[in-house]
Amino acid sequence: MATDQLFRLFAEQNRVRAFAAVALGAETSEEVAQVAGLTPKGTALALLKLREQGVVKTMDDGELRVDYDLFRNLAREGEEPADPGPSTGDEHTDMILRTFVQGGRLIRLPAQWTRKQVVLQHIAEQTFTPGVEYPERIVDEKLRAWCDEGEIDHVTLRRYLVDLHHLRRGNGIYRRIEA
């Protein structure tokens, strides 16, 4: 069942009320009618559609149940695939980057100096082309993208990149040093 089908199914009030009654524990059409405040005919039509679409099922003993597996499967279909994170080919480096860089964003800088250097080198390599001159405004814009919703700000990140010689600064122009 597609998500848009599900929305259309629940666009009718009697179906929503019948579904809610089943979700709250009504096990027979009579109980559904009573809990939902529907007529027997309205209940029968609503339950028919709910069963046809698979959101409500009738168990072997005749009791009505919500098919929660259907909703779980729909939720999984809508999930974004897990971001495998950066991949450099070096298992140790990749582990560090997966810990501190997720979805193209810097989560936080590592406290350990060697790990911090790995993360900063990755950011410099992914953000700036060697030999290209960048005005400070552009550098800040590019680094803000890494810092969005993280613990570190773009100014601190820029300072680290300059201090570690990943970027060279002169007259308001930044340039990535070729490795």
Side-chain angles (χ1 to χ4, degrees):
M1 168 184 279
T3 307
D4 59 327
Q5 247 182 311
L6 190 62
F7 285 128
R8 284 194 300 275
L9 177 66
F10 287 117
E12 204 275 316
Q13 185 179 18
N14 285 353
R15 292 183 209 143
V16 173
R17 292 172 74 170
F19 177 82
V22 174
L24 291 171
E27 298 176 340
T28 66
S29 58
E30 293 80 20
E31 288 176 3
V32 170
Q34 182 181 6
V35 170
L38 299 173
T39 64
K41 181 180 178 183
T43 302
L45 290 172
L47 288 175
L48 176 66
K49 272 296 193 187
L50 293 170
R51 281 192 201 103
E52 283 176 353
Q53 296 301 317
V55 297
V56 170
K57 56 187 176 182
T58 304
M59 307 306 288
D60 292 337
D61 59 4
E63 293 180 350
L64 298 169
R65 293 279 186 271
V66 170
D67 187 355
Y68 289 107
D69 289 335
L70 173 75
F71 289 98
R72 275 189 213 84
N73 292 336
L74 283 172
R76 284 188 193 111
E77 287 174 16
E79 289 176 0
E80 295 288 321
D83 178 16
S87 178
T88 64
D90 177 3
E91 190 175 321
H92 180 69
T93 299
D94 290 348
M95 184 270 310
I96 292 169
L97 293 175
R98 278 193 305 270
T99 302
F100 297 100
V101 177
Q102 295 174 2
R105 303 280 191 259
L106 177 63
I107 305 304
R108 66 183 187 285
L109 273 177
Q112 187 180 19
W113 186 245
T114 55
R115 290 181 178 189
K116 189 178 292 186
Q117 289 174 312
V118 168
V119 170
L120 291 167
Q121 180 178 346
H122 173 75
I123 291 172
E125 289 172 353
Q126 295 299 309
T127 309
F128 303 103
T129 305
V132 174
E133 294 183 344
Y134 299 93
E136 188 168 305
R137 178 181 56 80
I138 299 298
V139 171
D140 287 347
E141 185 179 301
K142 288 178 169 284
L143 294 178
R144 268 191 202 100
W146 283 96
C147 300
D148 192 31
E149 298 180 25
E151 294 179 3
I152 190 167
D153 64 275
H154 70 283
V155 176
T156 304
L157 188 56
R158 185 183 67 211
R159 188 178 320 117
Y160 274 123
L161 291 172
V162 170
D163 290 349
L164 291 174
H165 306 290
H166 292 297
L167 292 179
R168 181 171 289 145
R169 175 178 47 208
N171 298 322
I173 300 295
Y174 292 77
R175 188 178 301 110
R176 184 173 145 226
I177 289 83
E178 296 202 39

